[in-house]
Amino acid sequence: MKLTFWGIWAKIISVRNMRCDLHVHSDISVDSIESMETYCERALELGVSFLSFTDHLNNMSDMPKNGYYDADKYFENLERVREKYDGRLQLLAGVEFGEPHRYRHEFEQTLKKPYDFIMGSLHIWYDGLFLSQMREVSVESAFETYWKEMYKMIEYGGYDAVAHFDFPKRLYKQVIYNDDYLNEIFALMKKNALTLEINTSLLRKGKADALPSSDILKLYKNAGNAYFTMGSDAHNVQDFYTNMEKPRKDAENLGLEEVVFIGRQAVPLL
Ligand SMILES: [Zn+2]
Ligand SMILES: [Zn+2]
């Protein structure tokens, strides 16, 4: 990674163990009513330095209330908290874009906006069903179709990080995969300079594993990838920055390095 202006800046100001939560939903998301300000107050209490609001940008038939996302309102809200917390919090402009490879025009429009961090997410891949509607679908079939669609999303690229990589685990409580196929996906992630998110949402539901599972994280590393981002995927302030420390340490023990994204550039935390 070449050292950018932001990289140099981060080296100057950075301290070890800087706390970051790069996956947070505010009331710009269809499924959250929490204000950005509420999270900012909590971030100050917890000593979190970097916070990225990544509201859902879903397209067409993906979700009810299609078109709910309002980029102008997002940036207006963000500007307000950026001014209020200037010098105290690093507030990054993020977005969680659903299925970018299927909504290319919308994705290209999104790239023109001043986001620091764009996550690609695969929420809907099976007959237009939400995960919660897939109870009748076998776990084998769910994962087989999921990985194929994931391959397409990774092949398309153009965003910064892949959110909640083994997402069907949220419903099925297990993961089915083929090492060779995931190795191909991870090689493609390296080629397309995509970073894997470690998403802690399942941990606060009492599950032992983050998304992705640690064995999948090893494959990611072994394919030559070096970085990860941390995200709680909080939709309310109680979930903000929860269960972050252990999975981060586990990833670091594997030899992976945490990064934040500023102006779409990965900046390692030293
Ligand atoms: Zn998501
Ligand atoms: Zn999310």
Side-chain angles (χ1 to χ4, degrees):
M1 182 185 297
K2 71 176 191 287
L3 209 54
T4 61
F5 167 77
W6 286 113
I8 295 163
W9 170 82
K11 270 185 191 297
I12 294 165
I13 66 144
S14 77
V15 288
R16 278 184 191 278
N17 300 322
M18 200 175 253
R19 295 179 167 193
C20 312
D21 191 341
L22 298 197
H23 189 158
V24 178
H25 293 274
S26 78
D27 54 11
I28 297 294
S29 292
V30 66
D31 52 0
S32 170
I33 55 165
E34 207 72 272
S35 72
M36 289 183 181
E37 193 169 351
T38 309
Y39 286 112
C40 290
E41 291 296 323
R42 185 74 182 133
L44 289 176
E45 281 171 24
L46 294 172
V48 173
S49 313
F50 283 93
L51 198 172
S52 153
F53 293 108
T54 49
D55 286 303
H56 287 295
L57 200 169
N58 297 309
N59 292 279
M60 314 230 265
S61 59
D62 268 3
M63 294 222 170
K65 298 195 188 176
N66 163 39
Y68 186 88
Y69 186 83
D70 182 339
D72 291 341
K73 184 94 175 75
Y74 173 86
F75 281 104
E76 201 183 295
N77 287 0
L78 185 67
E79 213 38 61
R80 208 166 38 236
V81 283
R82 273 178 165 168
E83 267 175 38
K84 183 167 177 185
Y85 297 93
D86 186 30
R88 294 186 286 165
L89 293 172
Q90 301 295 329
L91 301 174
L92 306 173
V95 63
E96 179 175 5
F97 197 103
E99 300 86 33
H101 59 303
R102 282 200 258 136
Y103 304 107
R104 297 182 180 204
H105 173 72
E106 292 81 355
F107 184 69
E108 277 159 27
Q109 296 304 113
T110 297
L111 292 179
K112 293 178 187 161
K113 298 201 162 72
Y115 290 107
D116 290 296
F117 179 49
I118 302 179
M119 277 191 300
S121 278
L122 188 50
H123 294 122
I124 310 263
W125 73 98
Y126 195 100
D127 285 346
L129 296 177
F130 299 113
L131 189 58
S132 59
Q133 296 170 318
M134 291 180 64
R135 293 183 193 282
E136 305 298 310
V137 179
S138 74
V139 60
E140 292 83 5
S141 176
F143 273 102
E144 194 190 334
T145 49
Y146 179 80
W147 295 128
K148 280 189 184 148
E149 193 71 24
M150 178 58 85
Y151 188 96
K152 290 182 196 163
M153 190 176 97
I154 304 273
E155 195 173 34
Y156 179 59
Y159 43 93
D160 303 310
V162 180
H164 43 60
F165 184 74
D166 49 3
F167 177 70
K169 188 167 71 179
R170 281 193 184 164
L171 173 69
Y172 292 97
K173 320 292 185 229
Q174 59 171 308
V175 190
I176 295 182
Y177 63 90
N178 170 289
D179 280 27
D180 292 339
Y181 199 68
L182 283 204
N183 284 336
E184 267 185 56
I185 288 181
F186 287 143
L188 206 49
M189 278 186 75
K190 182 173 158 59
K191 180 167 166 260
N192 287 345
L194 300 174
T195 301
L196 199 62
E197 174 202 48
I198 297 179
N199 182 299
T200 66
S201 57
L202 269 186
L203 292 169
R204 62 179 171 265
K205 295 194 169 118
K207 306 292 175 235
D209 240 359
L211 301 135
S213 306
S214 51
D215 46 356
I216 293 181
L217 205 55
K218 269 184 213 149
L219 294 178
Y220 170 73
K221 167 75 168 73
N222 292 343
N225 295 286
Y227 307 113
F228 68 95
T229 62
M230 287 300 301
S232 67
D233 209 349
H235 286 66
N236 59 65
V237 74
Q238 290 78 22
D239 290 344
F240 173 69
Y241 199 78
T242 48
N243 303 89
M244 303 286 266
E245 306 290 345
K246 186 177 180 303
R248 179 211 281 141
K249 280 206 178 71
D250 291 347
E252 285 174 350
N253 288 340
L254 277 180
L256 292 164
E257 194 176 353
E258 186 180 6
V259 291
V260 294
F261 278 82
I262 302 172
R264 307 282 325 276
Q265 299 283 333
V267 178
L269 300 172
L270 302 175

